[in-house]
Amino acid sequence: MDIQLGDILRMKKQHPCGSYTWEVIRTGTDIRMKCTGCTHQVMLPRHKVEKSIKEIIKNNNENII
Protein backbone atom coordinates (compact mmCIF):
# COMPACT_ATOMS: atom_id res chain seq x y z
CA MET A 1 0.00 0.00 0.00
CA ASP A 2 1.34 3.42 -0.95
CA ILE A 3 1.10 5.74 2.05
CA GLN A 4 2.58 9.19 1.51
CA LEU A 5 3.32 12.17 3.74
CA GLY A 6 0.18 14.32 4.10
CA ASP A 7 -2.34 11.55 3.33
CA ILE A 8 -5.57 11.52 5.33
CA LEU A 9 -6.43 7.95 6.36
CA ARG A 10 -9.84 6.68 7.47
CA MET A 11 -9.33 3.88 9.98
CA LYS A 12 -11.60 0.92 10.76
CA LYS A 13 -11.79 1.72 14.48
CA GLN A 14 -12.75 5.02 16.06
CA HIS A 15 -10.33 7.03 18.21
CA PRO A 16 -11.64 7.79 21.74
CA CYS A 17 -12.20 11.44 20.71
CA GLY A 18 -14.74 10.26 18.10
CA SER A 19 -12.68 10.80 14.94
CA TYR A 20 -11.93 8.09 12.37
CA THR A 21 -9.43 10.15 10.34
CA TRP A 22 -5.68 10.54 10.79
CA GLU A 23 -3.08 12.64 8.94
CA VAL A 24 0.25 11.01 8.07
CA ILE A 25 3.11 13.20 9.32
CA ARG A 26 6.05 10.75 8.99
CA THR A 27 6.62 7.64 6.89
CA GLY A 28 9.17 4.86 6.85
CA THR A 29 9.28 1.52 8.66
CA ASP A 30 7.12 3.19 11.31
CA ILE A 31 4.37 5.68 10.50
CA ARG A 32 3.57 8.70 12.68
CA MET A 33 -0.01 9.89 12.44
CA LYS A 34 -1.94 12.80 13.95
CA CYS A 35 -5.63 12.50 14.83
CA THR A 36 -7.64 15.12 12.95
CA GLY A 37 -10.09 15.40 15.86
CA CYS A 38 -7.87 16.00 18.90
CA THR A 39 -4.35 16.28 17.34
CA HIS A 40 -3.06 13.31 19.40
CA GLN A 41 -0.01 11.75 17.73
CA VAL A 42 0.92 8.06 17.57
CA MET A 43 3.74 6.11 15.92
CA LEU A 44 2.90 2.59 14.76
CA PRO A 45 4.64 -0.07 12.65
CA ARG A 46 3.75 0.17 8.95
CA HIS A 47 2.18 -3.31 8.79
CA LYS A 48 -0.19 -2.50 11.66
CA VAL A 49 -1.29 0.78 10.04
CA GLU A 50 -1.84 -0.85 6.65
CA LYS A 51 -3.97 -3.55 8.26
CA SER A 52 -6.26 -1.04 10.01
CA ILE A 53 -6.83 1.41 7.11
CA LYS A 54 -10.36 1.50 5.68
CA GLU A 55 -9.63 4.05 2.93
CA ILE A 56 -7.30 6.86 1.90
CA ILE A 57 -9.49 9.97 1.74
CA LYS A 58 -6.97 12.53 0.49
CA ASN A 59 -3.64 11.99 -1.17
CA ASN A 60 -1.49 15.12 -0.95
CA ASN A 61 0.48 14.20 -4.11
CA GLU A 62 -2.51 14.32 -6.50
CA ASN A 63 -2.15 18.08 -7.00
CA ILE A 64 1.50 17.96 -8.16
CA ILE A 65 1.98 18.63 -11.89
Side-chain angles (χ1 to χ4, degrees), residues 1-7 9 24 26-28 31 33 46 49-50 53 56 59 61:
M1 186 174 291
D2 188 30
I3 300 172
Q4 300 293 325
L5 191 66
D7 285 354
L9 308 175
V24 177
R26 181 181 179 273
T27 59
I31 295 177
M33 303 182 301
R46 178 178 283 273
V49 173
E50 289 178 350
I53 291 175
I56 297 176
N59 188 336
N61 298 328

Side-chain angles (χ1 to χ4, degrees), residues 8 12 14 16 28 31 39 43 47:
I8 304 295
K12 292 178 184 175
Q14 186 177 29
I31 295 177
T39 68
M43 183 177 271
H47 69 276

Side-chain angles (χ1 to χ4, degrees), residues 2-60:
D2 188 30
I3 300 172
Q4 300 293 325
L5 191 66
D7 285 354
I8 304 295
L9 308 175
R10 180 170 172 86
M11 307 306 272
K12 292 178 184 175
K13 293 192 175 181
Q14 186 177 29
H15 189 250
C17 74
S19 177
Y20 283 93
T21 56
W22 294 78
E23 178 184 0
V24 177
I25 56 176
R26 181 181 179 273
T27 59
T29 304
D30 296 324
I31 295 177
R32 182 177 291 271
M33 303 182 301
K34 179 174 67 172
C35 178
T36 58
C38 65
T39 68
H40 178 78
Q41 294 184 11
V42 296
M43 183 177 271
L44 298 169
R46 178 178 283 273
H47 69 276
K48 190 171 184 179
V49 173
E50 289 178 350
K51 185 177 178 181
S52 56
I53 291 175
K54 189 171 187 179
E55 66 177 322
I56 297 176
I57 295 176
K58 177 183 144 200
N59 188 336
N60 197 26

